[in-house]
Amino acid sequence: MEPTSSTEHDVHNENGGNRNTDTDSIEKIFESKKVPPWQNQLTLRAFVVSFILGILFTFIVMKLNLTTGIIPSLNVSAGLLGFFFVKTWTKFLGKSGLLKQPFTRQENTVIQTCVVASSGIAFSGGFGSYLFGMSEVIAKQSNEANAAQNMKNPSLGWMIAFLFVVSFLGLFSVVPLRKIMIIDFKLIYPSGTATAHLINSFHTPQGAKLARKQVRTLGKFFSMSFLWGFFQWFFTGGDDCGFMNFPTLGLKAYENKFYFDFSATYVGVGMICPHLVNVSLLVGTILSWGIMWPLINEKKGDWYSADLKSSSLHGLQGYRVFIAIAMILGDGLYNFVKVLYYTLSGLYRHFNDDKTKAEEAITGNSLPDLPSLSYDDQKRTRLFLKDQIPTWIAIVGYLTIAIVSVITLPHIFHQLKWYYVAAIYVCAPVLAFCNAFGCGLTDWSLASTYGKLAIFVIGAWAGGSNGGVLAGLAACGVMMNIVSTASDLTQDFKTGYMTLASPRSMFVSQVIGTAMGCIISPCVFWLFYNAFDNLGVPGSEYPAPYALIFRNMAILGVEGFSTLPEKCLLLCYIFFGFAIFVNGIRDLVGKNLARFIPIPMAMAIPFYIGGYFAIDMCVGSLILFIWSKVNKAKAAAFGPAVASGLICGDGIWTLPSSILALAGVNPPICMKFLSRSTNVKVDAFLGS
């Protein structure tokens, strides 16, 4: 799930509402500090710290990818930990008299950019969606024709090669547009702006003091979460064992995926995600596992064969998967059209404004050219335009990578013909611009929506008999990586603009971070893939729900609706329309009332995998809500640090647990819960 914002921004308001007056100027605070040249912003220590944090966050994102696919923004954690590590480093060197270069906010921004670029590959690389959806494990769960030619099992070599070929194109596609996006259009990029405010605050005396307290809090909850994961491991010596299978709401509720599974990760995610997202997940759980699936299960033998296995997509599992897909596609289509409308209307306004200014200049009615910008914006604009990235570098870089991709990708995926790749690269710059512009307006990246579009277009073009399913999934990867990295880089340009970091240092750090991610992410996934035998299996610790969903989207694109169970198509139409209708209502009633209407995309996620994680997230949301009522200022300051500690500790525990699994070290205890009647039978059997 991509970072989302429920608030759409009016372009005019954004341009006018983001100015500092001289009385609250940020840059006046830093006036005495010299801005280092762009080469000095790129330090060895910054990239060493980025590499370490990149590994940490890749483990976290990979775990989230392979469990539910819900990935919150980890920018606060990355900025905080980057500040802590380098500040500790420079403090130590300063005491020993070896410090040559002080730690600046520009270097902090480089670390932030590099870490987010590196860990972002764990999402855009498709390890929990399109890439793993190509595997035999996922293909066996799908009922499709020509399955043999639509499979490609993960291998470290081709995964790294694929990512290196497709992950850099988006960076070069938006470089020539950075001035238009940041200076001319003054797009707000909410996440980039928030990150810049965070980094600026760290480097003020008061902010540094608060940051140290936040890091201590994060470290405390990191330790607690890690030790809790270690303690839980001892009780997982078998299938359905341990605290993660604790029937907290009763055995009947447990059968329908209603239970609290004691996951520190998802309690932390619930503290970061907005309350509405968490409530939407719970509503989706109640609607699906509480009402719909029990009712459809009663139609066994009528709506689908009673002899089918529980994992068959021609049975109840098919209703779960395809109705979830229908809601995701309905929500995606609505938001695609909405963001496209905002993009086009925003462009129209800007070009109209430019035309009006030009006409005023011609008629002589324009005002004298006075410095209308604030002190901060004047200084930021001057430095942002100082270090230009030559346009020819962007064009040559784009064309070179495109040619290499067109030649290389058909060798990695024989089903993906060179002209499919060429067609994508012809359209990619326009789509990358639309995604970057839309993200600047709404903070909503539609990377996965563009990826799904590629699945259907390329899959249908290739056809079922020519490996259309695999071609569609590979095309999804190409498209997702282009548009995702394009919007990420423009967010980073905005952050750099507000922290006086050079566009050149932002671009270089994004390139280096992306290169790190192209190696780290496949290696981390390979560790998961080899350590956990049941990876991708429904009901396992790592079910990778989006892998099956993306594969079945590709099957739908190639084979049409013939694969659906009876009555499933009708229900898909209903829920597709329902997602569009609910989104429309949310936009019509305004922000105040929209807070009480669930988000269809969030409702769809538990349809397939169950609601255990939604209960965890609601617990996290409840903790933050009560904390805010007791002490709002403290909750706002330390809530993200507590949440990050819970997520990071539990996430990094997957590294030692994976190593233990690879070494053949199994947990010594199986803690399992049985009903009284089953327990009597077990006791009788053991006593005989």
Side-chain angles (χ1 to χ4, degrees):
M1 191 177 181
E2 296 142 328
T4 60
S5 169
S6 58
T7 306
E8 281 68 48
H9 307 273
D10 181 83
V11 180
H12 177 74
N13 289 342
E14 285 171 7
N15 296 348
N18 195 37
R19 294 179 179 173
N20 299 313
T21 62
D22 284 350
T23 57
D24 62 355
S25 170
I26 294 294
E27 296 311 326
K28 282 192 177 294
I29 297 172
F30 295 102
E31 201 168 20
S32 61
K33 296 183 180 180
K34 185 181 177 183
V35 178
W38 71 271
Q39 297 95 330
N40 293 352
Q41 296 171 22
L42 302 166
T43 62
L44 177 63
R45 68 190 179 200
F47 292 118
V48 170
V49 168
S50 298
F51 183 74
I52 295 167
L53 291 179
I55 294 172
L56 168 66
F57 285 107
T58 297
F59 267 98
I60 294 165
V61 173
M62 196 67 70
K63 178 175 180 177
L64 296 170
N65 249 334
L66 296 171
T67 47
T68 63
I70 299 174
I71 302 166
S73 173
L74 298 171
N75 285 2
V76 173
S77 314
L80 196 59
L81 289 171
F83 173 80
F84 167 71
F85 278 121
V86 181
K87 200 70 177 174
T88 305
W89 186 330
T90 53
K91 194 173 182 181
F92 173 76
L93 290 177
K95 286 181 178 178
S96 59
L98 299 172
L99 182 64
K100 294 181 180 179
Q101 182 177 335
F103 181 41
T104 63
R105 56 191 174 131
Q106 289 79 28
E107 189 180 355
N108 204 159
T109 308
V110 165
I111 295 171
Q112 169 82 20
T113 299
C114 196
V115 172
V116 172
S118 175
S119 58
I121 298 293
F123 166 71
S124 62
F127 299 100
S129 54
Y130 65 85
L131 190 142
F132 191 37
M134 302 174 184
S135 68
E136 187 178 358
V137 174
I138 303 301
K140 283 180 177 177
Q141 298 171 41
S142 306
N143 301 296
E144 61 186 283
N146 307 303
Q149 63 175 321
N150 284 307
M151 289 190 300
K152 191 173 183 67
N153 282 318
S155 168
L156 205 53
W158 74 256
M159 288 191 297
I160 292 174
F162 170 71
L163 289 175
F164 265 105
V165 168
V166 302
S167 295
F168 295 91
L169 206 77
L171 304 181
F172 289 97
S173 65
V174 293
V175 164
L177 304 171
R178 67 197 179 283
K179 177 180 176 292
I180 294 171
M181 300 281 204
I182 307 300
I183 305 296
D184 297 340
F185 290 173
K186 294 184 175 64
L187 297 177
I188 195 168
Y189 289 99
S191 290
T193 300
T195 303
H197 285 310
L198 184 76
I199 291 171
N200 283 334
S201 72
F202 286 162
H203 292 266
T204 61
Q206 288 179 326
K209 190 176 179 182
L210 176 61
R212 283 194 291 271
K213 291 180 182 177
Q214 289 172 326
V215 168
R216 279 198 295 270
T217 303
L218 190 153
K220 186 193 305 179
F221 282 89
F222 176 95
S223 304
M224 289 167 57
S225 177
F226 184 87
L227 291 172
W228 174 239
F230 178 50
F231 175 74
Q232 285 189 87
W233 176 81
F234 285 96
F235 301 92
T236 56
D239 293 335
D240 301 326
C241 297
F243 285 91
M244 68 180 68
N245 292 288
F246 197 116
T248 41
L249 301 175
L251 287 167
K252 191 66 180 175
Y254 174 79
E255 287 174 14
N256 287 293
K257 307 286 186 180
F258 279 92
Y259 58 96
F260 176 67
D261 75 343
F262 295 91
S263 168
T265 294
Y266 283 103
V267 172
V269 171
M271 292 180 72
I272 291 177
C273 286
H275 296 309
L276 182 59
V277 171
N278 300 325
V279 172
S280 299
L281 290 165
L282 189 60
V283 170
T285 302
I286 294 168
L287 177 62
S288 55
W289 291 87
I291 300 171
M292 286 174 57
W293 306 156
L295 290 175
I296 293 174
N297 192 45
E298 291 179 5
K299 299 291 185 180
K300 186 189 293 185
D302 182 13
W303 285 14
Y304 59 94
S305 173
D307 301 326
L308 293 170
K309 291 191 296 184
S310 60
S311 60
S312 172
L313 288 178
H314 287 302
L316 181 57
Q317 185 78 332
Y319 286 92
R320 293 170 183 160
V321 171
F322 289 113
I323 292 174
I325 288 173
M327 285 191 72
I328 290 168
L329 291 177
D331 187 278
L333 177 65
Y334 180 89
N335 285 298
F336 174 76
V337 172
K338 184 172 75 174
V339 173
L340 186 64
Y341 166 76
Y342 277 107
T343 301
L344 295 176
S345 60
L347 285 169
Y348 177 76
R349 287 181 200 172
H350 282 294
F351 287 130
N352 255 14
D353 289 346
D354 290 344
K355 188 178 177 183
T356 304
K357 287 174 185 174
E359 287 172 355
E360 286 175 350
I362 291 167
T363 56
N365 295 326
S366 58
L367 292 170
D369 186 20
L370 297 173
S372 58
L373 296 174
S374 67
Y375 174 80
D376 282 5
D377 283 337
Q378 285 182 52
K379 189 168 184 177
R380 288 166 178 172
T381 301
R382 188 168 61 251
L383 282 167
F384 188 79
L385 297 176
K386 178 185 170 188
D387 293 328
Q388 295 290 325
I389 303 171
T391 303
W392 69 265
I393 290 179
I395 295 170
V396 171
Y398 188 90
L399 291 175
T400 303
I401 295 171
I403 291 167
V404 171
S405 299
V406 169
I407 295 168
T408 308
L409 288 176
H411 290 284
I412 300 174
F413 306 105
H414 301 300
Q415 299 85 345
L416 190 67
K417 304 302 181 187
W418 68 267
Y419 43 88
Y420 301 157
V421 183
I424 292 171
Y425 285 165
V426 169
C427 304
V430 175
L431 298 178
F433 169 76
C434 288
N435 194 48
F437 191 94
C439 194
L441 292 177
T442 65
D443 207 25
W444 200 317
S445 172
L446 295 176
S448 65
T449 303
Y450 288 109
K452 289 161 196 164
L453 181 66
I455 286 178
F456 288 113
V457 172
I458 302 299
W461 187 0
S465 59
N466 298 313
V469 172
L470 195 70
L473 290 170
C476 171
V478 176
M479 184 65 79
M480 266 185 72
N481 277 281
I482 292 169
V483 297
S484 178
T485 52
S487 62
D488 288 348
L489 181 59
T490 44
Q491 287 270 21
D492 293 334
F493 279 144
K494 181 67 176 185
T495 305
Y497 169 78
M498 295 186 67
T499 58
L500 302 190
S502 167
R504 289 186 184 180
S505 64
M506 292 291 91
F507 181 72
V508 172
S509 61
Q510 180 86 17
V511 169
I512 293 173
T514 302
M516 286 180 185
C518 290
I519 296 171
I520 295 170
S521 290
C523 291
V524 171
F525 175 74
W526 192 242
L527 185 65
F528 275 84
Y529 186 68
N530 287 286
F532 303 104
D533 295 332
N534 56 0
L535 188 74
V537 176
S540 67
E541 187 178 357
Y542 299 105
Y546 275 97
L548 185 63
I549 286 173
F550 270 66
R551 185 172 186 91
N552 280 281
M553 284 183 192
I555 294 168
L556 279 178
V558 172
E559 298 181 9
F561 300 123
S562 60
T563 56
L564 300 181
E566 188 184 351
K567 308 289 186 185
C568 187
L569 182 58
L570 175 62
L571 290 172
C572 285
Y573 282 142
I574 291 170
F575 279 90
F576 181 86
F578 172 76
I580 293 173
F581 175 75
V582 171
N583 273 307
I585 293 295
R586 283 175 49 79
D587 285 336
L588 283 173
V589 298
K591 297 173 190 175
N592 289 332
L593 290 176
R595 292 179 300 147
F596 304 104
I597 302 174
I599 302 165
M601 177 69 84
M603 289 175 65
I605 296 168
F607 270 47
Y608 166 52
I609 51 177
Y612 55 91
F613 71 94
I615 293 171
D616 296 346
M617 290 175 68
C618 283
V619 168
S621 200
L622 182 63
I623 290 169
L624 187 65
F625 178 77
I626 294 171
W627 192 2
S628 298
K629 291 295 180 185
V630 174
N631 191 329
K632 191 172 183 179
K634 203 165 185 178
F638 293 98
V642 171
S644 299
L646 292 173
I647 294 168
C648 293
D650 196 33
I652 207 65
W653 164 248
T654 56
L655 175 57
S657 68
S658 301
I659 294 169
L660 289 170
L662 287 171
V665 179
N666 297 313
I669 305 167
C670 173
M671 183 174 72
K672 190 173 280 194
F673 298 89
L674 307 171
S675 65
R676 186 188 296 120
S677 58
T678 305
N679 188 56
V680 169
K681 292 176 185 176
V682 171
D683 286 344
F685 174 77
L686 293 174
S688 61

